[in-house]
Short mmCIF file of all heavy atoms in Angstrom, two decimals:
data_model
loop_
_atom_site.label_atom_id
_atom_site.label_comp_id
_atom_site.label_asym_id
_atom_site.label_seq_id
_atom_site.Cartn_x
_atom_site.Cartn_y
_atom_site.Cartn_z
N ASP A 226 10.69 -22.10 -0.42
CA ASP A 226 11.06 -22.47 0.90
C ASP A 226 10.51 -21.46 1.97
O ASP A 226 11.08 -21.44 3.09
CB ASP A 226 12.53 -22.76 0.91
CG ASP A 226 13.04 -23.87 0.17
OD1 ASP A 226 12.29 -24.86 0.04
OD2 ASP A 226 14.17 -23.92 -0.25
N THR A 227 9.67 -20.67 1.62
CA THR A 227 9.23 -19.63 2.63
C THR A 227 8.81 -20.23 3.95
O THR A 227 9.24 -19.84 4.97
CB THR A 227 8.12 -18.79 1.97
OG1 THR A 227 8.42 -18.17 0.85
CG2 THR A 227 7.71 -17.76 2.93
N VAL A 228 7.86 -21.19 3.83
CA VAL A 228 7.35 -21.91 5.14
C VAL A 228 8.49 -22.43 6.00
O VAL A 228 8.40 -22.36 7.13
CB VAL A 228 6.25 -22.88 4.73
CG1 VAL A 228 5.84 -23.66 6.00
CG2 VAL A 228 4.99 -22.12 4.10
N MET A 229 9.35 -23.25 5.28
CA MET A 229 10.50 -23.80 6.00
C MET A 229 11.27 -22.75 6.79
O MET A 229 11.68 -22.91 7.88
CB MET A 229 11.36 -24.61 5.10
CG MET A 229 12.50 -25.26 5.67
SD MET A 229 13.63 -25.98 4.59
CE MET A 229 14.39 -24.50 3.99
N ILE A 230 11.52 -21.60 6.08
CA ILE A 230 12.32 -20.56 6.66
C ILE A 230 11.68 -19.93 7.92
O ILE A 230 12.19 -19.76 8.90
CB ILE A 230 12.69 -19.44 5.65
CG1 ILE A 230 13.60 -20.04 4.61
CG2 ILE A 230 13.30 -18.31 6.25
CD1 ILE A 230 13.77 -19.11 3.44
N VAL A 231 10.28 -19.72 7.72
CA VAL A 231 9.51 -19.20 8.78
C VAL A 231 9.55 -20.17 10.06
O VAL A 231 9.63 -19.78 11.19
CB VAL A 231 8.00 -18.90 8.36
CG1 VAL A 231 7.18 -18.59 9.54
CG2 VAL A 231 8.07 -17.76 7.34
N ARG A 232 9.31 -21.46 9.84
CA ARG A 232 9.31 -22.44 10.86
C ARG A 232 10.74 -22.42 11.57
O ARG A 232 10.70 -22.65 12.74
CB ARG A 232 9.01 -23.83 10.29
CG ARG A 232 7.48 -23.88 9.99
CD ARG A 232 7.14 -25.18 9.43
NE ARG A 232 5.73 -25.36 9.28
CZ ARG A 232 5.02 -26.10 8.37
NH1 ARG A 232 5.75 -26.66 7.40
NH2 ARG A 232 3.77 -26.10 8.29
N ASN A 233 11.74 -22.28 10.84
CA ASN A 233 13.06 -22.21 11.41
C ASN A 233 13.30 -21.02 12.37
O ASN A 233 13.84 -21.00 13.50
CB ASN A 233 14.10 -22.14 10.41
CG ASN A 233 14.35 -23.55 9.71
OD1 ASN A 233 13.98 -24.60 10.26
ND2 ASN A 233 14.96 -23.50 8.56
N ILE A 234 12.66 -19.89 11.92
CA ILE A 234 12.69 -18.71 12.73
C ILE A 234 11.81 -18.81 14.02
O ILE A 234 12.20 -18.45 15.05
CB ILE A 234 12.27 -17.38 11.91
CG1 ILE A 234 13.25 -17.23 10.76
CG2 ILE A 234 12.10 -16.21 12.84
CD1 ILE A 234 12.83 -15.99 9.96
N ILE A 235 10.67 -19.59 13.89
CA ILE A 235 9.84 -19.79 15.07
C ILE A 235 10.51 -20.59 16.12
O ILE A 235 10.45 -20.36 17.35
CB ILE A 235 8.51 -20.45 14.53
CG1 ILE A 235 7.65 -19.38 13.81
CG2 ILE A 235 7.74 -20.95 15.78
CD1 ILE A 235 6.40 -20.07 13.14
N ASP A 236 11.22 -21.62 15.57
CA ASP A 236 12.03 -22.44 16.48
C ASP A 236 13.11 -21.73 17.21
O ASP A 236 13.37 -21.81 18.26
CB ASP A 236 12.65 -23.60 15.67
CG ASP A 236 11.62 -24.67 15.21
OD1 ASP A 236 10.50 -24.67 15.78
OD2 ASP A 236 11.96 -25.38 14.28
N GLN A 237 13.76 -20.72 16.42
CA GLN A 237 14.76 -19.94 16.96
C GLN A 237 14.28 -19.10 18.16
O GLN A 237 15.01 -18.75 19.04
CB GLN A 237 15.48 -19.09 15.74
CG GLN A 237 16.53 -18.21 16.37
CD GLN A 237 17.05 -17.29 15.10
OE1 GLN A 237 16.72 -17.52 13.98
NE2 GLN A 237 17.78 -16.23 15.48
N TYR A 238 13.06 -18.56 17.90
CA TYR A 238 12.61 -17.61 18.94
C TYR A 238 11.56 -18.27 19.90
O TYR A 238 10.78 -17.69 20.53
CB TYR A 238 11.91 -16.44 18.25
CG TYR A 238 12.80 -15.35 17.77
CD1 TYR A 238 13.31 -15.61 16.37
CD2 TYR A 238 13.06 -14.20 18.36
CE1 TYR A 238 14.27 -14.57 15.98
CE2 TYR A 238 13.98 -13.32 17.94
CZ TYR A 238 14.48 -13.45 16.72
OH TYR A 238 15.34 -12.49 16.29
N HIS A 239 11.69 -19.51 19.91
CA HIS A 239 10.72 -20.41 20.81
C HIS A 239 10.71 -19.97 22.27
O HIS A 239 11.81 -19.78 22.84
CB HIS A 239 11.02 -21.86 20.78
CG HIS A 239 10.17 -22.62 21.63
ND1 HIS A 239 8.78 -22.97 21.25
CD2 HIS A 239 10.25 -23.36 22.83
CE1 HIS A 239 8.23 -23.71 22.28
NE2 HIS A 239 9.14 -24.00 23.14
N GLY A 240 9.58 -19.58 22.73
CA GLY A 240 9.58 -19.11 24.14
C GLY A 240 9.87 -17.56 24.23
O GLY A 240 9.70 -16.99 25.42
N GLN A 241 10.27 -16.93 23.27
CA GLN A 241 10.65 -15.58 23.31
C GLN A 241 9.53 -14.67 22.56
O GLN A 241 9.49 -13.54 22.90
CB GLN A 241 11.97 -15.28 22.81
CG GLN A 241 13.07 -16.07 23.40
CD GLN A 241 14.47 -15.87 22.62
OE1 GLN A 241 14.78 -14.70 22.45
NE2 GLN A 241 15.01 -17.02 22.24
N ALA A 242 8.78 -15.23 21.67
CA ALA A 242 7.93 -14.45 20.89
C ALA A 242 6.65 -15.31 20.56
O ALA A 242 6.74 -16.53 20.41
CB ALA A 242 8.53 -14.02 19.58
N ASP A 243 5.54 -14.55 20.52
CA ASP A 243 4.24 -15.30 20.09
C ASP A 243 4.14 -15.06 18.62
O ASP A 243 3.75 -14.12 18.01
CB ASP A 243 3.12 -14.45 20.81
CG ASP A 243 1.76 -15.11 20.43
OD1 ASP A 243 1.76 -16.16 19.74
OD2 ASP A 243 0.78 -14.45 20.91
N ILE A 244 4.45 -16.16 17.93
CA ILE A 244 4.26 -16.20 16.46
C ILE A 244 3.46 -17.35 16.00
O ILE A 244 3.62 -18.50 16.35
CB ILE A 244 5.71 -16.49 15.74
CG1 ILE A 244 6.75 -15.42 16.35
CG2 ILE A 244 5.62 -16.32 14.21
CD1 ILE A 244 8.18 -15.89 15.90
N ARG A 245 2.42 -17.02 15.05
CA ARG A 245 1.42 -18.00 14.61
C ARG A 245 1.60 -18.13 13.14
O ARG A 245 1.41 -17.12 12.47
CB ARG A 245 0.08 -17.69 15.10
CG ARG A 245 -0.22 -18.09 16.52
CD ARG A 245 -1.68 -17.83 16.78
NE ARG A 245 -1.93 -16.33 17.13
CZ ARG A 245 -3.14 -15.84 17.24
NH1 ARG A 245 -4.18 -16.53 16.93
NH2 ARG A 245 -3.25 -14.54 17.54
#
Side-chain angles (χ1 to χ4, degrees):
D226 291 332
T227 300
V228 171
M229 182 189 71
I230 293 170
V231 171
R232 285 179 174 149
N233 288 339
I234 294 174
I235 291 175
D236 290 342
Q237 178 185 346
Y238 282 85
H239 180 71
Q241 304 175 51
D243 180 7
I244 310 171
R245 283 183 278 168

